[in-house]
Amino acid sequence: DAGVIQSPRHEVTEMGQEVTLRCKPISGHDYLFWYRQTMMRGLELLIYFNNNVPIDDSGMPEDRFSAKMPNASFSTLKIQPSEPRDSAVYFCASSTGYNEQFFGPGTRLTVL
Amino acid sequence: KQEVTQIPAALSVPEGENLVLNCSFTDSAIYNLQWFRQDPGKGLTSLLLIQSSQREQTSGRLNASLDKSSGRSTLYIAASQPGDSATYLCALLSGSARQLTFGSGTQLTVLP
């Protein structure tokens, strides 16, 4: 059974460019979460969806960040324009209900 | 706002030793508590989930306990092995928004 899939695994871009991170949750899971991990702030929840609907986006740092979930098997997190302080590891996780969350391998983003 | 603290930040033990990792939290109105393992440069692996109504969970050499009244959880690792070396994170699901709040982790090194 495939776990949560994220792509790309690594992304290096220049300041000002658009970045799109992708996530495929575990089949059958109705909750999808986007997290960001940095040395300074640890793991932070950015946004989460239930049945493809955004429930809480209070963790999204700025209007430069946006997330979509067009269907139950795909979600994107977009940063436009990107800035060096956005450099971090971005994780996607999924769960059934408010139960055990399963994390993907993460996308390591470097903005130069 | 839920605050999660993990002490110590780092721990080094010889192989074969039993050890306890600590997690404390400020808001006892939680839905569940999850312990994760994170290897360097990797994603998070779920180890154990304790529901709010439970006192402990066991998986192999791992045993996690939950005491809501004192705001504490412990992760007990029996007969530690070098392969147990990783960062261990506790996370609590709480609040009206049902957000998962993470501690900063304990970096464990098991020496052969």
Side-chain angles (χ1 to χ4, degrees), chain A residues 13-72:
Chain A
T13 190
E14 293 189 347
M15 182 175 63
Q17 296 298 307
E18 178 179 295
V19 176
T20 299
L21 311 182
R22 297 172 177 80
C23 175
K24 176 180 170 57
I26 293 172
S27 177
H29 283 190
D30 56 349
Y31 281 80
L32 183 140
F33 307 83
W34 282 101
Y35 293 89
R36 178 171 68 176
Q37 186 177 38
T38 62
M39 289 294 293
M40 290 295 294
R41 300 174 68 90
L43 268 158
E44 301 174 289
L45 176 68
L46 299 176
I47 185 172
Y48 76 92
F49 296 83
N50 174 220
N51 291 324
N52 314 337
V53 176
I55 302 300
D56 186 350
D57 66 354
S58 60
M60 296 285 263
E62 301 171 32
D63 292 344
R64 298 184 296 105
F65 286 69
S66 63
K68 294 182 179 180
M69 192 165 185
N71 57 62

Side-chain angles (χ1 to χ4, degrees), chain A residues 9 35 37 43 45 48 56 58 91 98-105 108, chain B residues 32 34 36 38 41-44 46 49 51 89 93 97-100 102:
Chain A
R9 295 293 309 278
Y35 293 89
Q37 186 177 38
L43 268 158
L45 176 68
Y48 76 92
D56 186 350
S58 60
F91 289 104
Y98 290 109
N99 293 311
E100 189 173 11
Q101 292 190 21
F102 295 89
F103 280 67
R108 183 172 296 276
Chain B
N32 61 50
Q34 201 166 347
F36 293 89
Q38 185 173 28
K42 303 290 186 181
L44 279 70
S46 180
L49 173 76
Q51 298 289 357
L89 297 144
L93 193 71
R98 300 201 183 191
Q99 290 194 9
L100 200 61
F102 284 83

Side-chain angles (χ1 to χ4, degrees), chain B residues 70-89:
Chain B
S70 66
R72 290 185 176 185
S73 175
T74 61
L75 179 67
Y76 174 83
I77 302 177
S80 58
Q81 304 171 357
D84 295 331
S85 297
T87 296
Y88 290 80
L89 297 144

Side-chain angles (χ1 to χ4, degrees), chain B residues 41-91:
Chain B
K42 303 290 186 181
L44 279 70
T45 301
S46 180
L47 298 173
L48 289 163
L49 173 76
I50 308 178
Q51 298 289 357
S52 176
S53 58
Q54 298 175 319
R55 293 299 300 263
E56 65 178 312
Q57 281 286 342
T58 298
S59 176
R61 295 181 295 108
L62 305 179
N63 176 276
S65 69
L66 173 63
D67 184 346
K68 290 192 300 179
S69 63
S70 66
R72 290 185 176 185
S73 175
T74 61
L75 179 67
Y76 174 83
I77 302 177
S80 58
Q81 304 171 357
D84 295 331
S85 297
T87 296
Y88 290 80
L89 297 144
C90 72

